Amino acid sequence: MESFVIEGGRPLSGTIIPQGAKNEALQVICATLLTSEEVHISNVPDILDVRNLNLLMQDIGVKVVRQAKGEFTYQADALNLEYLGSDAFVEKCSSLRGSVLMIGALLGRFGRAVVAQPGGDKIGRRRLDTHFLGFKHLGASFAKIEHRNVYEIKAERLRGCYMLLDEASVTGTANIIMAACMAEGTTIIYNAACEPYVQQLCRMLCRMGAQIEGIGSNLLTIHGVSELHGTDHRLLPDMIEVGSFIGLAAMVGNGVCIKDVSLRNLGIIPDTFRRMGITIEVDGDDLFIPRQEHYRIESFIDGTIMTLADAPWPGLTPDLLSVLLVVATQAEGSVLIHQKMFESRLFFVDKLIDMGAQIILCDPHRAVVIGHDRKLTLRAGRMSSPDIRAGIALLIAALSANGTSRIANIAQIDRGYENIENRLNALGAKIERIQS
């Protein structure tokens, strides 16, 4: 197991470019299973989850070719469908959350799929009901094979229909879209997730020959087609990484420029940091965060404590609440962080409390942060990353702390952030990767 050793208290400055979007990458790579023709994808992040998904795609017979840094071609013209039911495939799926996105494409094109309960972050329940209910509406039948802990899904022929999703699940919506693209007739999906990454998936599928209306809204109409073909696609910059860099620059920055952020696809992320008192300057598609000597959390108009809560797009993404919580520790004022979607994601705050942060964990979903107003610097400590987003939040905390910190289980951070220590070291950080 690898760890980071971080020397805190070093101001960071310079320019950093966000990687391609992790969540979009997992969706569009799986979508290449819908055609036998070649699909070219660029701006692909070199992160653990993408590398593992590429290996899984190769295992089932997809030709995955790296053309250049961040550029790959995928061609699913000779899949080994028998391997999909093997124990080896099931075992690999169980360690990768993104493997669940293969179901819709395999079901749409081949009428069957076998997928294990996927792995990923341990941040509470992440149910698959929305996915399976959507497939069931389209005419698929499914069963859980208890002794193997796998799901078998089959359909003689998928047929379009109207469906109202029980939740606006991003992966659920993406999976159902991929299945519906090649279903017979018209599918209408209401309460669909409409995050930029779902929009990107839809646009890519339309270039492949799909017919999708309502892109960017929560009401999608999909007219099924008999086949799809190849295309070129470029990933958006990762909005979670952009938000992470804003938080980092606020805490320890001495003037940091974040280049090519695709501002129109950041939604309310910049304004949420501004409500925390962070100054953000916009120059075209770049963001500049000057040194924040002092930042003050706003109150609501009636004077009550600020509450930051996650919500489906265009609300605040839950993936940034961990970063916002850390940033709040050095602000003036107090804020209630309300993590609605996952009941275990705030449990990392005990590590911040050990570092000297003033945080009250109210319950698994809510924490109150009382800011130090930079009058009390966090202490260095030893900690372990429980998930991707808590991991980057702890890294930001360690960079701002007095002394040398150590973060174990950094494979979790590697799942979502490309070459993070070298990119931050280029700004002036001192982070060393060591074998534990």
Side-chain angles (χ1 to χ4, degrees), residues 169-248:
S169 163
V170 174
T171 53
T173 299
N175 242 337
I176 295 165
I177 289 169
M178 286 188 275
C181 278
M182 300 181 73
E184 185 179 284
T186 298
T187 300
I188 298 174
I189 308 172
Y190 198 22
N191 195 31
C194 52
E195 273 77 355
Y197 307 143
V198 176
Q199 298 177 39
Q200 284 283 96
L201 171 67
C202 289
R203 294 188 183 104
M204 172 178 149
L205 290 170
C206 286
R207 290 195 301 275
M208 293 170 68
Q211 297 181 22
I212 306 174
E213 301 168 6
I215 297 172
S217 76
N218 69 346
L219 181 63
L220 295 175
T221 301
I222 303 169
H223 304 285
V225 297
S226 59
E227 64 179 359
L228 297 176
H229 51 77
T231 191
D232 291 327
H233 182 77
R234 181 173 177 82
L235 302 181
L236 289 174
D238 194 308
M239 65 177 173
I240 312 303
E241 192 171 74
V242 172
S244 301
F245 292 155
I246 295 173
L248 176 75

Side-chain angles (χ1 to χ4, degrees), residues 16-71:
I16 193 164
I17 301 173
Q19 67 188 28
K22 166 188 176 285
N23 292 337
E24 181 186 349
L26 301 180
Q27 293 179 27
V28 299
I29 289 172
C30 289
T32 65
L33 293 169
L34 285 164
T35 179
S36 62
E37 297 183 18
E38 188 175 275
V39 177
H40 176 262
I41 303 177
S42 58
N43 202 29
V44 179
D46 184 16
I47 56 176
L48 192 57
D49 273 10
V50 168
R51 291 198 295 268
N52 286 340
L53 182 57
N54 279 343
L55 290 173
L56 193 59
M57 296 284 279
Q58 289 176 314
D59 286 342
I60 65 174
V62 179
K63 299 181 182 70
V64 180
V65 180
R66 184 180 184 273
Q67 302 290 339
K69 178 176 169 53
E71 292 190 24

Side-chain angles (χ1 to χ4, degrees), residues 87-367:
D87 289 338
F89 177 74
V90 167
E91 183 178 354
K92 290 180 179 180
C93 286
S94 64
S95 64
L96 176 64
R97 177 73 188 175
S99 64
V100 72
L101 287 158
M102 300 173 72
I103 308 175
L106 291 170
L107 186 62
R109 184 175 168 196
F110 300 105
R112 61 190 177 103
V114 178
V115 176
Q117 175 69 44
D121 289 331
K122 305 304 180 186
I123 54 176
R125 294 188 311 123
R126 302 183 75 174
R127 60 189 181 88
L128 299 176
D129 299 59
T130 302
H131 304 241
F132 291 145
L133 289 172
F135 298 145
K136 187 175 181 180
H137 281 306
L138 292 171
S141 61
F142 67 93
K144 183 176 182 181
I145 311 303
E146 294 289 348
H147 70 280
R148 297 181 64 205
N149 196 29
V150 300
Y151 299 91
E152 290 188 350
I153 309 164
K154 296 180 180 178
E156 289 294 326
R157 180 64 178 168
L158 297 177
R159 290 180 172 81
C161 65
Y162 169 87
M163 66 180 80
L164 173 61
L165 301 188
D166 63 330
E167 65 170 346
S169 163
V170 174
T171 53
T173 299
N175 242 337
I176 295 165
I177 289 169
M178 286 188 275
C181 278
M182 300 181 73
E184 185 179 284
T186 298
T187 300
I188 298 174
I189 308 172
Y190 198 22
N191 195 31
C194 52
E195 273 77 355
Y197 307 143
V198 176
Q199 298 177 39
Q200 284 283 96
L201 171 67
C202 289
R203 294 188 183 104
M204 172 178 149
L205 290 170
C206 286
R207 290 195 301 275
M208 293 170 68
Q211 297 181 22
I212 306 174
E213 301 168 6
I215 297 172
S217 76
N218 69 346
L219 181 63
L220 295 175
T221 301
I222 303 169
H223 304 285
V225 297
S226 59
E227 64 179 359
L228 297 176
H229 51 77
T231 191
D232 291 327
H233 182 77
R234 181 173 177 82
L235 302 181
L236 289 174
D238 194 308
M239 65 177 173
I240 312 303
E241 192 171 74
V242 172
S244 301
F245 292 155
I246 295 173
L248 176 75
M251 287 280 280
V252 295
N254 191 27
V256 174
C257 178
I258 311 171
K259 294 283 292 182
D260 302 326
V261 300
S262 187
L263 185 62
R264 65 183 297 273
N265 288 298
L266 293 182
I268 65 171
I269 290 173
D271 283 341
T272 301
F273 280 98
R274 290 186 178 106
R275 300 190 84 171
M276 299 280 287
I278 308 303
T279 300
I280 302 175
E281 300 172 4
V282 177
D283 181 10
D285 227 13
D286 303 338
L287 300 179
F288 180 74
I289 296 84
R291 181 180 178 86
Q292 311 285 314
E293 296 285 356
H294 174 83
Y295 51 98
R296 184 174 185 274
I297 300 170
E298 293 181 2
S299 298
F300 286 118
I301 292 173
D302 62 0
T304 54
I305 184 173
M306 174 61 61
T307 299
L308 298 180
D310 54 342
W313 183 270
L316 180 63
T317 170
D319 286 344
L320 277 177
L321 285 181
S322 299
V323 172
L324 287 161
L325 188 150
V326 168
V327 173
T329 66
Q330 294 303 313
E332 177 190 350
S334 301
V335 62
L336 171 64
I337 303 292
H338 190 175
Q339 167 63 266
K340 297 177 181 178
M341 296 188 187
F342 306 111
E343 67 268 17
S344 303
R345 212 168 206 176
L346 295 180
F347 287 166
F348 81 103
V349 302
D350 62 339
K351 301 172 180 64
L352 296 175
I353 293 171
D354 289 341
M355 297 175 76
Q358 292 185 305
I359 304 172
I360 301 168
L361 185 61
C362 307
D363 55 44
H365 291 275
R366 296 177 301 160

